Amino acid sequence: MILEVKNLLKAFGGLVAIRDLNLAVNEGEIVGLIGPNGSGKTTLFNLISGVLKPDKGEIRFNEIDITGLKPHKVCQGGIARTFQLTKPFMQMTTLQNVMIGRTYGSEPVRSMRQAEGECERILEFVGLGGKRLSLVATFGLVDRKRVEIARALATKPRLLLLDETMAGLNPSEMEDALRLVKAIGDSGITLIVVEHVMKVILDISSRLMVLNYGEIIAEGTPQEVVRDEKVVEAYLGE
Amino acid sequence: MSNWKHLSVSGGIIVLLILVPLIFTRTDILTFFFLTLLYITLSQSWNILGGYTGQINLGHAAFFGAGALAARYIWLHFGLPLPLAILGGGLAATIFAMIIGFPAFRLRGIYFVIGTLVLAEILRLVFYTILPRADVMPMRLLGAYSLIPRYYLSLLIALLTVAAVYWISRSRLGLGLMSIREDEDAAEASGVDTQRYKLLAFAISTFLTGLAGGIYAYYSAAFRAGGLFEPVWTFDAVIIVFVGGVGTILGPVIGSVFFVLLKQFLSLYLPGGIHVAVFGVLFIIVVLFLPGGLVELITRFRKRTSGGSIQIDS
């Protein structure tokens, strides 16, 4: 088991965003996380990545308790993430963006030259090979998302949290992104993927979890989950 | 190719700067060079924190003043060797920085700006009160006063500061600092300990500022302690960095030359103090219409004349 979350609770004032949540992720899985707006998906990512501290509960990564660690410690420990609203380093080049991940993440490389070589391969992998010296501020949404994924990959994660990578993409861009996410999964990185586009999530997930009001209401293979009555109810109402 | 060109140009400039006291014997010209170099250190050190790390320090004077006062006391009043005094000035500035930096950097955004601004003002008022009399160099030193060693010391520290920024901008450290400037959440998510690196940038920046203060303590025949903490020391540095080009190596250098020249020129032809207003207007114009400063202007001009490829120099 690579990630284990036990009895996690997070409330903002009176609003309980994550309610007594338990989940386990095995190495090599691609777990899809779905749920209506406001169901707590991003909050869960923020708790795992250390941006938020839980009120109660425990998060274990590789059998090690990482509850309440700061985000940079979590990243150095091997969990990377992307943001729902992309946050690439705008006034820096593509290569510099990725170099930061490579020189500060887990298994960081101190030598700039070595890091540069490895980062160029990562940029090829995400399809930004020809734009290594361009400023990210000049990019459109698709390339910004690529930069963010490349930067996360450069930190050498064992677990990668992808927060709505497909949002705002057109169908053909989505095909590309889908191929990329699958390739990342094939490289052995465990993935938790938050996505609204059902077609995508059903296609890539080996297992699906459904979050509603901060609780997991269903879990299983994509085929099982979409037939689940509670899930249909959460999405469509009674 | 272009690396060799850069190296030979910088080498040539350094040689010329070393020869300056031999070429020019007039005190006013040597003073101009001395001040320009002092301002390069003052503004370049601000640039490390403000330009590269994105943390706006409006209390730069606090660290310049702390460095100057500490160096002056170690050198003149405790009678220790000058190099030790100047190093002591740098350290004194860094200690002040860590005292304010620890609490201020725990909070993001405006707290650091206000914290540093208030620190400089408190120190200014305190030192005008507890050390109201002018600190004058003793006669034996004034009698033997020469600008030349002051000039060379100022040159040395300015070169050290520019070299430090050159190294930072190409290093892992520089990447970490710039990531903080761009987005703190994303920096943390990429493994950068933002709190630690902000403090580190603050320490380097204020150490170099303190050295500049130390040189001023060696240069100035007489000053009032409170005057070392006057906001001009902060805002001159800020204006130079923005007019020259924020977050670049060359910006503060070009900005300092421009600033000191214009300041001398304006104070010749305008009634006292008006030059401050001119710089204020200039600052606003640059921020609104030329965010990259003079460096951007030069790059644009060169691109137009050579039609060469776009170079990104950060």
Side-chain angles (χ1 to χ4, degrees):
Chain A
M1 208 178 302
I2 192 162
L3 182 77
E4 194 179 9
V5 173
K6 284 186 211 158
N7 307 321
L8 201 66
L9 185 100
K10 179 71 192 178
F12 300 102
L15 178 80
V16 182
I18 295 291
R19 190 187 303 271
D20 211 21
L21 184 138
N22 290 283
L23 67 83
V25 176
N26 293 314
E27 183 123 38
E29 273 192 297
I30 300 182
V31 175
L33 188 61
I34 61 170
N37 284 326
S39 59
K41 303 182 296 290
T42 298
T43 304
L44 182 59
F45 272 14
N46 283 338
L47 288 165
I48 296 171
S49 63
V51 173
L52 296 172
K53 283 190 169 51
D55 299 324
K56 262 187 211 151
E58 195 183 11
I59 302 165
R60 297 177 78 84
F61 177 63
N62 274 332
E63 315 295 321
I64 299 163
D65 187 4
I66 60 159
T67 321
L69 287 185
K70 284 192 170 182
H72 68 266
K73 286 278 178 211
V74 175
C75 170
Q76 289 165 2
I79 302 180
R81 69 171 296 183
T82 64
F83 294 92
Q84 192 174 359
L85 300 167
T86 54
K87 291 170 184 263
F89 304 126
M90 291 288 191
Q91 297 301 325
M92 299 176 80
T93 66
T94 312
L95 184 63
Q96 284 178 318
N97 267 266
V98 184
M99 290 278 282
I100 288 165
R102 195 67 209 91
T103 53
Y104 284 91
S106 73
E107 305 168 36
V109 168
R110 300 263 162 175
S111 144
M112 293 286 275
R113 185 164 298 181
Q114 189 192 340
E116 208 171 304
E118 292 184 25
C119 287
E120 276 171 17
R121 283 198 292 280
I122 295 169
L123 288 176
E124 290 291 340
F125 179 72
V126 302
L128 284 171
K131 296 183 177 172
R132 46 194 283 276
L133 295 182
S134 309
L135 273 191
V136 176
T138 64
F139 288 175
L141 181 68
V142 178
D143 281 348
R144 286 182 190 184
K145 291 196 172 206
R146 286 199 173 118
V147 171
E148 195 157 274
I149 290 173
R151 186 179 66 197
L153 288 175
T155 67
K156 296 283 163 191
R158 292 184 59 195
L159 172 66
L160 177 59
L161 313 175
L162 292 176
D163 199 351
E164 292 206 36
T165 305
M166 309 287 164
L169 302 187
N170 70 34
S172 87
E173 291 162 349
M174 227 178 266
E175 283 298 318
D176 289 342
L178 199 60
R179 259 198 302 279
L180 181 59
V181 174
K182 279 180 177 167
I184 294 168
D186 289 341
S187 74
I189 296 171
T190 310
L191 288 166
I192 304 181
V193 182
V194 163
E195 210 56 71
H196 270 302
V197 187
M198 271 300 177
K199 182 186 158 301
V200 171
I201 204 90
L202 295 177
D203 190 1
I204 53 175
S205 313
S206 54
R207 192 152 61 94
L208 209 53
M209 290 181 191
V210 186
L211 211 56
N212 196 25
Y213 293 111
E215 288 174 298
I216 291 181
I217 57 167
E219 190 183 338
T221 65
Q223 292 73 21
E224 288 166 8
V225 166
V226 288
R227 280 197 296 267
D228 193 297
E229 279 172 24
K230 273 184 288 183
V231 177
V232 176
E233 195 180 295
Y235 269 88
L236 301 174
E238 288 178 53
Chain B
M1 246 337 253
S2 120
N3 256 344
W4 277 110
K5 211 175 119 191
H6 281 184
L7 209 64
S8 49
V9 168
S10 346
I13 291 173
I14 291 168
V15 169
L16 281 179
L17 285 171
I18 291 171
L19 293 177
V20 158
L22 306 176
I23 302 166
F24 303 103
T25 44
R26 276 174 54 182
T27 328
D28 55 344
I29 294 178
L30 203 53
T31 304
F32 162 76
F33 277 101
F34 168 84
L35 284 176
T36 305
L37 292 167
L38 186 76
Y39 273 117
I40 288 175
T41 306
L42 196 68
S43 56
Q44 193 69 279
S45 61
W46 190 90
N47 192 32
I48 293 172
L49 192 66
Y52 283 93
T53 321
Q55 308 300 309
I56 304 300
N57 170 5
L58 286 188
H60 207 46
F63 310 104
F64 176 81
L69 213 53
R72 186 82 160 195
Y73 269 80
I74 295 169
W75 177 51
L76 274 189
H77 304 286
F78 306 154
L80 293 173
L82 181 72
L84 216 61
I86 290 176
L87 274 180
L91 285 178
T94 310
I95 290 167
F96 267 109
M98 293 303 100
I99 293 171
I100 186 84
F102 265 105
F105 280 143
R106 297 198 77 82
L107 307 160
R108 284 188 195 178
I110 200 78
Y111 296 97
F112 178 71
V113 183
I114 295 171
T116 48
L117 184 66
V118 168
L119 176 74
E121 280 303 285
I122 289 173
L123 291 177
R124 185 176 69 88
L125 294 171
V126 164
F127 281 111
Y128 269 128
T129 313
I130 62 170
L131 295 171
R133 294 178 52 190
D135 185 317
V136 187
M137 255 186 217
M139 273 319 286
R140 63 181 169 85
L141 285 174
L142 282 178
Y145 191 93
S146 163
L147 260 180
I148 293 169
R150 274 119 186 133
Y151 169 80
Y152 279 121
L153 204 59
S154 193
L155 174 61
L156 180 74
I157 305 287
L159 288 178
L160 175 79
T161 308
V162 174
V165 173
Y166 181 82
W167 177 81
I168 287 171
S169 72
R170 273 154 182 74
S171 69
R172 174 179 180 269
L173 172 63
L175 286 176
L177 300 186
M178 285 187 272
S179 76
I180 294 171
R181 174 190 71 195
E182 294 300 315
D183 192 307
E184 281 194 44
D185 290 326
E188 276 280 335
S190 309
V192 180
D193 185 346
T194 53
Q195 168 87 355
R196 182 168 151 226
Y197 279 92
K198 277 193 274 184
L199 279 172
L200 188 59
F202 197 22
I204 297 170
S205 163
T206 50
F207 180 74
L208 294 167
T209 318
L211 295 184
I215 291 164
Y216 189 76
Y218 177 47
Y219 161 81
S220 180
F223 57 70
R224 288 182 67 199
L228 299 169
F229 299 89
E230 286 286 352
V232 284
W233 294 110
T234 299
F235 290 101
D236 281 358
V238 175
I239 288 170
I240 288 170
V241 170
F242 276 91
V243 169
V246 64
T248 65
I249 301 161
L250 275 183
V253 178
I254 295 170
S256 295
V257 176
F258 178 78
F259 180 88
V260 178
L261 266 178
L262 194 62
K263 191 176 170 182
Q264 304 276 14
F265 180 78
L266 289 176
S267 42
L268 275 180
Y269 296 103
L270 291 175
I274 299 288
H275 69 270
V276 179
V278 175
F279 282 120
V281 172
L282 188 69
F283 179 73
I284 293 168
I285 291 172
V286 168
V287 168
L288 286 180
F289 302 110
L290 194 67
L294 292 171
V295 166
E296 188 187 323
L297 201 66
I298 293 167
T299 325
R300 271 192 214 168
F301 181 73
R302 274 172 54 180
K303 236 187 294 176
R304 196 168 302 161
T305 50
S306 70
S309 59
I310 303 164
Q311 273 197 359
I312 292 151
D313 193 25
S314 47

